[in-house]
Amino acid sequence: MYTSHTKADKEEMLKVIGLEKVEDLFQCLPEQGKFPALNLPDGITEMEALDELQYISSFNETTQELVSFLGAGAYNHFIPAAVDSILRRSEFYTAYTPYQPEISQGTLQAIFEYQSLIAALTGMDVANASHYDGATAVAEAVNMAYHNFRGRKKKIVLSPAVNPQYRGTIHTYMDGMNLEIVGEDLGPGSNPDDLIELIDENTALVLVQYPDFLGRIFDLSALAAAAHEHKALFSVHINPISMGLLKPPSAYGADIVTGEGQPLGIPLSFGGPYLGLFATKDKYVRKMAGRVAGETVDTQGQRGYVLTLSTREQHIRREQATSNICTNQGLIALASTVYLSLLGKNGLQELAKLNYHKAHYAAEKISTVPGFAVNPVQPFFNEFVVQCPVPAGEVNEYLLEHEILGGYDLSQIYPGMTHELLVAVTEMNPRSEIDYLVAVLEEEYHD
Amino acid sequence: MTEKTIFELSRPGRIGIRYPEPDVPLADLPEKFLRKDLPLVEMSENEVVRHFTKISQLNHAVDTGFYPLGSCTMKYNPKINEETARLPGFSQIHPLQPVETVQGALGLMYETQQWLAEISGFDAVTLQPAAGAQGELTGVFIIRAYHNSRGDSKRIKMLVPDSAHGTNPASSAMSGMTIIEIPSDKNGNIDTERVKAECDDTLAGLMITNPNTLGLFDENIVEACQLVHNSGGLVYGDGANMNALLGIYRPAEVGIDVMHFNLHKTFSTPHGGGGPGSGPVGVTKELAEFLPDPVVAMISEGDEETPAFYDLVTPEKTIGRVKSFHGHFGVVVKAFTYLISLGKNGLLDASTSAVLNANYIQALIKDVYHIPYERLCMHEFVTEAQWDDAPGIRALDISKRLIDFGFHPPTNYFPLIVHEALMIEPTETEAKETLDAFADALLQIADEAKNDPEILHNAPTNAPFGRLDEVKAAKELILKTQLPENYGKELS
């Protein structure tokens, strides 16, 4: 039981209040509709609840049981046991927003360390305490750029190779702002430099993904320069694991870096909760939405941390706030902080390389199967497009019969890409799984 | 009590986790894209675990003590929920798997939608919004889409009571609405005369919290909803205070058209130090076609031989998506576990006890602490923490002094319409002895405020930290560890 009152407790409490029965507490509610007869079952015991949830979960086939090459925005990575061990500390998970810093230094220091790590990872000056996920972080980047120019610049140049769900979220968020969003109709085969001619004086933001949704890595220098030439902001969305290997977006001159933090120790969990990374340059710190923790001292001179810059936020600014955001992803940000602390500089490099090598091995082997091809020209990180001899959906169905989650069928997003499969490979795929995938493909699609 | 940061604990060469050697041939690295420096930390696993364990102990949390933070519903977070959300069948499934392979997850989501609809009286529910504020944003987008779909795009005026959460006006502004603030009347209800004055053909809707942020069931809500409906507007309900109403009153009954739930408040999922939350949105039948993409639908009912079949479907006139994938599924599993554990009777008992507890504390302290709108409250109440014979004492001082007694302070300075507000929400999961001890502490503090105010000004003295200098933090703006110049420069 999660409540403690005995019958005697209740009677005593009602007496203090001056009422006879608990129903009297609700005397000011309209009579009609009060105490509705809900069509719901009665409660069950903990034993029964666990049994029920185990039963429901048995209808799902997990990435543990299947061989998975599915990515497309959510990645199957190893999570060290220490991460969940810290998350299960109820001093962390049963606390709330650190409004009272004297008794919230655990949460505040964790946020401060998270901000420090994300700034270091992205090469940026400053990071906030996180957004809900990659999609909303990207939408907040658009929102920030819009407000940075006080709504005077109305154009967003958006790469078609940004995750389609993020692009969808941007459209939903910005629908009331009369923005012109261009670039998406260039199609997935285009390069970042193809966006350059779309940039003009009216452009508030140029937004790309790196590695992009199709896994490709491009040099972003020319695009960044073109954005800055027209006084637009340049925003880059990253996969954080790739930062162990690749030049950070700051090297290209990014003004904003966003990312989906899920690969940093967060379980797949059917799509959430995940983590929205958001970092920027010092000069935009007051334009950035979301919580921020800052260092200070207490009355005894001890170093400590508080939430700061709150005058930007909705609880002070109300309708003048630039965003309605009022939380961060507290516990999920903590998970990524513990994860990055464990991996550190050496672990993240090692992991990024492992992903890179495995993905390249897989790409090479898959291209040896008759009818299958991987574009060998453009560098990629841990995800790549496979050209199939038949519609990608058919390949996936066939692979699932062999307990393989083949990849993401790109025709769901890009109507022209009927035969293209987006395949992700991580450290969770031993060589034997890659070889199995190739063998299964060869069995069906031999000459 | 200051703990070093991970950067200060870091030592070159320490390893926290190792990965297997590559079992594939090494590919050429893309030289021109390679990173030259990576200024992260280097720590062993033991050092990492000890560090985070130590700093965790600097937190007050529901599991360590009473947390009567008004408007946040800091109820106990059942441990079974933590186990069920971590079952491999839920935690290790990819959001883009073929639906045939995730029927359990979709079924659980469908059932949760049904439970929330039944509790609230709405016809359809989306689980996609990530938190309450995003639920609000979703709701306002739905209201806008509804008007636009009827060619009624001049409706851009949103009425928001002065007692509302700050997210209400901010969410409306984000969707391009003009905000009109509506005052509260002398009884703490919404001023219907002022609502009436704004009812014209530019009215998009009204955002209202019920019980309101004073903890009172708004006695004018039915009339206010009717006024808005009669002029073609819609009513948004902020469901932050739903913990007062489970099995007691269904928000749709009073005329609310769209409302968000906070699974992390009402349905016991942990607050996690500020997230992840989950903010499902319920709507009436006529708004169901505008819900975010996708929602879970039951395609075929099951029978004894075949289980039901569920799918993700796109509502006909959807506003689009508000985040990636299907919402905070892991949080939904916890809330669903809570729902079926409590059931109909348990939910009613939870809300009844929450209201009983709030009224009990109010009764114990009301002779000393002024209650600006004194009547029976719902799950929380607001007091005005100031006395003529205790000049210089503010709500903040009382809050900090409560820390010395081992309690988390109530929400202070909210709602904005009450001076020196202390907003107290005990929740149903607290025992009578805890409530008694808390009331005793408040009474003792009131006495100190008049006779020994320095104790309050200096509080807390019994916490790991004294008051922190927020002005310094805002002025100096140190937002990350300051690293030495060449930190992390050389990469192996």
Side-chain angles (χ1 to χ4, degrees), chain B residues 68 70-71 212-216 357-366 369-373 375-384 410-411 414-415 421-426 438 442:
Chain B
S71 205
N212 64 22
T213 58
L214 296 163
L216 305 173
N357 286 0
N359 277 287
Y360 180 62
I361 298 180
Q362 181 175 258
L364 289 176
I365 67 164
K366 70 178 177 187
Y369 285 79
H370 179 231
I371 313 287
Y373 303 93
R375 53 189 231 215
L376 285 174
C377 65
M378 296 298 283
H379 65 305
E380 66 189 0
F381 67 97
V382 178
T383 129
E384 214 167 43
T411 296
F414 186 80
L422 284 179
M423 185 194 224
I424 299 170
E425 181 183 9
F438 179 70
L442 279 174

Side-chain angles (χ1 to χ4, degrees), chain A residues 87 107 111 129-130 275 327-335, chain B residues 271-276:
Chain A
L87 291 196
T107 298
I111 294 175
S130 74
L275 177 67
T327 42
N328 61 331
Q329 287 288 90
L331 201 68
I332 309 296
L334 174 68
Chain B
H271 286 67

